[in-house]
C-alpha cells in the first residue's frame, strides 16, 4: 500500500490530467458561462453552482440522466441536491402538472390541493399542521420566526457546518475557515457573507454537532428560542448522529423551554417514507421540508405541533407569500407523495442505494485506501478519512485532494456531482440498477489508478 503522501501526489497528477480533459470536453459550457458572466455574477443563478474553470451547462434531463451543451451524457447523482428524488420529470409528476396547467398556475386564493398536501405531510411526519413555502430558505426562516413568537426569546442555536438556507440568521458558521472558527467546543459565530448585522450575529450561538453538553450550556441562559439542526447533517457529506444524541437533544430542549426544529430540507423523504423524523424516532416541535417532496418544483413547507402552528391561526405570528400553495407546485407535491415516492418505491430505492454503498465499501476494503462509506436512506457518500466524521472539525480533517481528484475523474466519465466533499450522492426512484451501479464502476477505476 502506498503511503498517504504518495496517494496525494498521485491524486494531484490525476486532477491535473482530468482538469485538462474537462476543459476540452466542456467547451460549449465554457462559451455559455462566458456569456452568462456578462449579465449575471459568476455566470450562475446561485453561487453554489459556480466552480472553476466553469460549471457543466445542461440542456436536457430525464429520469436519472442529464445531457450538457456539448452532448456529454451523465448519470445525475446530485439530483438537485436531493430535490429530484422523484427523478427528472417523473411521469406521475409530469402528468399531474400537465393536467393542472389546464386549470391555471396561480390563484392566490386557496385550492383543494393545499389541504391534500397538508394531510399527506401530516400522515408521513406525524405532525398535524403545515404551511407551504416556496423554498427551504423560506421554511427555515418562517419556522425560526414562529419559534421566536412562541417563546418570546430572540436567540437561536445552530451547529457549526450546518446550512439552513440563505436568510441572515442562518448564514453563520456554515463553512468557517479554521482560522476564524475558534475553539472546537465553543465555536465563534462566523458570518458567511458580508451584509450580516452585528445584531444578527449576536443572536446566533454556534455549537458542535454530536455534543449534548455544548447544547446544554448554550441553552442554560433561558434566552434561546430554538435549536435548528439537521437530524443527519447532509452538507458535510453525511454526518450521522451518535447513538442517543437526538434523544438527548430532545430532552435538553425540553428542559430549557427551547423549541427543537429539525431541518429536513435535505434529508426529507430521501431518508425514508416519514423522513429522518420517523426513521430516527425523535419528534421535533417543528420540521422544515423542501427539495425531495417537490418532484423538482420549487417548494418548501414547515409543519409542527398544533400549539405552535396555532399561533399562525390566531395571527400572533404572520406567515405570508404570494406563491405559497400555488396549484402547479401543489400538484407536483401531491403526485410525488402519492404516486412517485410511495412507501414501497422509497423502500426499494433505499435498498438499491444499500447495494451501491456496499459495492463502494468493498472497493475501499480491497484497496486499503483511507476512506469509508456513509449511508442514510437513499443517499451515500465516500468520506476521505479513515475515522467517522462526527462534526464539522472532523470533516475539515478529511482529505480534500483525494476527494477532488475522485470528483473530476468521475465527471469526465459521466458521474455528475458538485465538486468537493460537501455533497452526497442520491439514488432517485428513477435510477435503475445499471445507472445506480455506474458510480461504483467509475469509483473502482479511480481507486485502481490511485493505488497503481
Ligand atoms: C439543510 C438545508 N436547509 C435549508 C436549505 C435551503 O433550501 P433552499 O435552497 O430551497 O432555499 C438547504 C439548501 O440546500 C439545506 O441543505
Amino acid at each position: 500500500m502506498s503511503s498517504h503522501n504518495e496517494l496525494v501526489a498521485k491524486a494531484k497528477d490525476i486532477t491535473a490530467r482530468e482538469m485538462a480533459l474537462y476543459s476540452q470536453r466542456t467547451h460549449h459550457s465554457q462559451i455559455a458561462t462566458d456569456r452568462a458572466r456578462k449579465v449575471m455574477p459568476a455566470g450562475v443563478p446561485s453561487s453554489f453552482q459556480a466552480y472553476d474553470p466553469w460549471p457543466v451547462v445542461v440542456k436536457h434531463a430525464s429520469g436519472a440522466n442529464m445531457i450538457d451543451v456539448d452532448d456529454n451524457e451523465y448519470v445525475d447523482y446530485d439530483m438537485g441536491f436531493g430535490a429530484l428524488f422523484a427523478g427528472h420529470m417523473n411521469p406521475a409528476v409530469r402528468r399531474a402538472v400537465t393536467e393542472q396547467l389546464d386549470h391555471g398556475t396561480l390563484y392566490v386564493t386557496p385550492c383543494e390541493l393545499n389541504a391534500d398536501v397538508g394531510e399527506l405531510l401530516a400522515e408521513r411526519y406525524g405532525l398535524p399542521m403545515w404551511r407551504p413555502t416556496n423554498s427551504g430558505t423560506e421554511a427555515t426562516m418562517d419556522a425560526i420566526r414562529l419559534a421566536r413568537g412562541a417563546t418570546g426569546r430572540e436567540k437561536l442555536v445552530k451547529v457549526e457546518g450546518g446550512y439552513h438556507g440563505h436568510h441572515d440568521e442562518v448564514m453563520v458558521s456554515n463553512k468557517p475557515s479554521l482560522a476564524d472558527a475558534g475553539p472546537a467546543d465553543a465555536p465563534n459565530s462566523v458570518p458567511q457573507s458580508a451584509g450580516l448585522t452585528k445584531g444578527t450575529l449576536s443572536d446566533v450561538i454556534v455549537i458542535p454537532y454530536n455534543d449534548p453538553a455544548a447544547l446544554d450550556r448554550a441553552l442554560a441562559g433561558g434566552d434561546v428560542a430554538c435549536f435548528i439542526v439537521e437530524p443527519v447533517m447532509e452538507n458535510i457529506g453525511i454526518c450521522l448522529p451518535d447513538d442517543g444524541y437526538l434523544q438527548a437533544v430532545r430532552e435538553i430542549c425540553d428542559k430549557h423551554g427551547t423549541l427543537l426544529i429539525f431541518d429536513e430540507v435535505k434529508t426529507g423523504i430521501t431518508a425514508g417514507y416519514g423522513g429522518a423524523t420517523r426513521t430516527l424516532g425523535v419528534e421535533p416541535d417543528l420540521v422544515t421540508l423542501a427539495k425531495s417532496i417537490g418532484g423538482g418544483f420549487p417548494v418548501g413547507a414547515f409543519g409542527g405541533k398544533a400549539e405552535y402552528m396555532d399561533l399562525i391561526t390566531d395571527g400572533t405570528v404572520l406567515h405570508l407569500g404570494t406563491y405559497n400553495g400555488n396549484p402547479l407546485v401543489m400538484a407536483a407535491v401531491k403526485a410525488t407523495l402519492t404516486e412517485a415516492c410511495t412507501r414501497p418505491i422509497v423502500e426499494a430505492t433505499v435498498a438499491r442505494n444499500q447495494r451501491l454503498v456496499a459495492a463502494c465499501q468493498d472497493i475501499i476494503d480491497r484497496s486499503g485506501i483511507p476512506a469509508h462509506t456513509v449511508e442514510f436512506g437513499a443517499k451515500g457518500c465516500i468520506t476521505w478519512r479513515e475515522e467517522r466524521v462526527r462534526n464539522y472539525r472532523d470533516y475539515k480533517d478529511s482529505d480534500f485532494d483525494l476527494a477532488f481528484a475522485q470528483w473530476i475523474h468521475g465527471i469526465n466519465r459521466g458521474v455528475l456531482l458538485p465538486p468537493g466533499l460537501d455533497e452526497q450522492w442520491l439514488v432517485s426512484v428513477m435510477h435503475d440498477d445499471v445507472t445506480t451501479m455506474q458510480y461504483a464502476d467509475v469509483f473502482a477505476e479511480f481507486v485502481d489508478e490511485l493505488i497503481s
Side-chain angles (χ1 to χ4, degrees):
M1 180 68 202
S2 322
S3 71
H4 194 94
N5 287 346
E6 285 167 342
L7 288 182
V8 169
K10 193 64 168 285
K12 287 183 175 167
D13 288 348
I14 294 174
T15 294
R17 183 194 70 212
E18 295 294 325
M19 286 296 278
L21 179 59
Y22 177 89
S23 296
Q24 282 166 24
R25 308 174 75 238
T26 59
H27 180 57
H28 287 93
S29 285
Q30 178 185 14
I31 294 170
T33 304
D34 285 346
R35 175 182 157 219
R37 280 174 179 151
K38 296 197 178 97
V39 289
M40 201 172 279
V44 292
S46 161
S47 295
F48 276 134
Q49 295 176 18
Y51 53 85
D52 290 333
W54 48 81
V56 166
V57 176
V58 168
K59 67 176 184 188
H60 178 79
S62 110
N65 299 97
M66 297 239 257
I67 302 175
D68 73 12
V69 289
D70 289 276
D71 287 325
N72 296 308
E73 293 183 17
Y74 303 89
V75 177
D76 186 0
Y77 292 96
D78 180 43
M79 300 305 282
F81 300 133
L84 289 145
F85 186 43
H88 289 285
M89 218 58 267
N90 185 292
V93 175
R94 183 192 192 105
R95 193 175 52 248
V97 169
T98 308
E99 277 170 18
Q100 180 56 42
L101 279 173
D102 288 335
H103 299 287
T105 58
L106 183 65
Y107 306 148
V108 197
T109 190
C111 59
E112 291 180 305
L113 284 163
N114 300 147
D116 290 343
V117 167
E119 285 167 6
L120 289 164
L121 294 176
E123 192 268 317
R124 286 202 183 219
Y125 274 82
L127 290 164
M129 300 288 280
W130 292 83
R131 271 284 176 95
T133 66
N134 304 289
S135 68
T137 293
E138 287 182 29
T140 60
M141 178 182 76
D142 289 315
I144 290 169
R145 183 183 302 125
L146 181 54
R148 286 176 164 155
T151 57
R153 302 172 180 182
E154 295 192 356
K155 290 194 191 301
L156 71 89
V157 174
K158 71 176 287 292
V159 298
E160 192 175 44
Y163 181 74
H164 302 288
H166 59 275
H167 54 98
D168 287 1
E169 57 235 308
V170 290
M171 292 279 285
V172 177
S173 296
N174 307 127
K175 293 256 162 50
S177 72
L178 290 181
D180 293 335
D185 58 349
N188 296 334
S189 295
V190 182
Q192 287 298 145
S193 167
L196 271 62
T197 65
K198 290 196 187 73
T200 297
L201 285 174
S202 67
D203 281 341
V204 180
I205 302 169
V206 177
I207 61 170
Y209 186 68
N210 271 327
D211 187 343
L215 178 64
D216 200 33
R217 285 196 299 277
L219 303 191
D223 55 354
V224 176
C226 60
F227 176 40
I228 183 163
V229 63
E230 290 185 275
V232 172
M233 291 182 76
E234 291 194 346
N235 284 294
I236 51 169
I238 300 178
C239 177
L240 295 166
D242 291 348
D243 284 347
Y245 173 64
L246 295 176
Q247 287 79 359
V249 161
R250 178 67 277 179
E251 283 164 24
I252 294 164
C253 286
D254 287 344
K255 179 170 113 185
H256 296 289
T258 295
L259 268 61
L260 174 60
I261 303 175
F262 275 174
D263 181 357
E264 287 224 45
V265 166
K266 270 208 119 175
T267 49
I269 60 169
T270 72
Y273 177 80
T277 296
R278 287 298 181 98
T279 300
L280 300 175
V282 173
E283 190 178 69
D285 298 300
L286 300 171
V287 168
T288 57
L289 298 176
K291 295 189 166 64
S292 57
I293 60 167
F297 284 77
V299 73
F302 64 102
K305 296 180 178 169
E307 63 193 286
Y308 305 120
M309 298 299 283
D310 282 350
L311 296 173
I312 299 175
T313 308
D314 72 17
T316 306
V317 174
L318 271 184
H319 171 241
L320 309 166
T322 302
Y323 296 100
N324 291 358
N326 72 83
L328 203 62
V329 171
M330 291 298 101
V333 176
K334 183 176 176 183
T336 300
L337 296 176
T338 58
E339 295 178 73
C341 302
T342 58
R343 189 187 291 277
I345 293 175
V346 171
E347 285 171 3
T349 308
V350 169
R352 195 170 301 122
N353 181 51
Q354 281 166 353
R355 293 196 285 280
L356 171 56
V357 172
C360 291
Q361 187 59 51
D362 197 45
I363 293 161
I364 293 170
D365 292 343
R366 274 191 281 118
S367 62
I369 54 171
H372 64 278
T373 53
V374 191
E375 73 179 271
F376 187 59
K379 294 185 174 186
C381 69
I382 310 287
T383 294
W384 287 95
R385 184 176 196 263
E386 277 180 273
E387 305 79 26
R388 185 164 90 81
V389 167
R390 293 184 57 248
N391 54 39
Y392 177 66
R393 302 295 168 111
D394 289 351
Y395 157 83
K396 288 293 278 183
D397 181 50
S398 308
D399 197 308
F400 290 79
D401 289 320
L402 293 172
F404 191 85
Q406 188 211 339
W407 170 74
I408 186 75
H409 175 275
I411 207 163
N412 285 333
R413 287 155 188 78
V415 169
L416 192 67
L417 272 166
L421 275 172
D422 326 19
E423 283 304 315
Q424 57 293 128
W425 71 68
L426 172 75
V427 172
S428 81
V429 305
M430 294 184 80
H431 283 71
D432 59 17
D433 283 335
V434 174
T435 45
T436 298
M437 285 303 178
Q438 187 169 328
Y439 185 99
D441 296 342
V442 173
F443 179 54
E445 197 184 309
F446 172 72
V447 171
D448 283 348
E449 182 175 357
L450 191 66
I451 61 172
S452 64

